[in-house]
Amino acid sequence: MGRWLERRRHPVRDVLYPIVTGPVIAGLKAFLTGRDESYASSVAVSRVLPPAAERTTRMVTVRYDGGPQVGVQERRQLGFNVWAESTVNGELLARLLMAGVQSLPDGDPITFVDEVNGPFEVVDTQSDLLVVSGVTLAHYFFTARVSARGTDL
């Protein structure tokens, strides 16, 4: 009975929701390209950390943490890990990327971004520290909620 009432108030639709991790990564790479800030150069942006031999002193990973679907909109929570060669550059890079995420909505597929939170310094345990070319990287984290429009099937 409860499901029937729910269907009457909010009819269930068959919707295919797009993948947003790829467009977010591509958008952040484009956002960083040609920037004048020294801490924004040579940043590797991907879904997972590159293999150890390919790591740089500035890296970003984008993680999809799920989210609710309302009609044709899906509100996705994304987590962003940011590493840099110093705490100052790590926080500056994270803050710049937060601005970059907020500039992503273009309707294809991202329709809006809200609830950007952070950045927060991550104090890694000794076994989790990332060391690249002899430099121990500072680690920051922030989140954002990204909405994407699905397609009716």
Side-chain angles (χ1 to χ4, degrees), residues 6 11 20 28 36 39 41-42 49 56 67 70 83 96 109 134 138 140 146:
E6 186 64 25
V20 297
L28 288 178
D36 292 334
Y39 57 85
S41 66
S42 303
L49 280 172
T56 66
V70 180
W83 290 272
L96 181 64
Y140 282 81
V146 175

Side-chain angles (χ1 to χ4, degrees), residues 58-80:
R58 296 186 190 122
M59 299 179 290
V60 178
T61 60
V62 180
R63 184 185 72 219
Y64 170 53
D65 291 336
Q69 300 163 344
V70 180
V72 295
Q73 288 288 327
E74 183 173 49
R75 299 176 62 116
R76 298 177 180 174
Q77 186 73 23
L78 299 177
F80 299 82

Side-chain angles (χ1 to χ4, degrees), residues 6 17-18 22 34-35 66 74 79 87 92-94 100-101 129 136 138 143 149:
E6 186 64 25
Y17 298 99
R35 296 215 49 100
E74 183 173 49
T87 56
L92 288 171
L93 179 57
V101 169
L129 287 174
T136 301
T143 62
R149 180 173 174 71

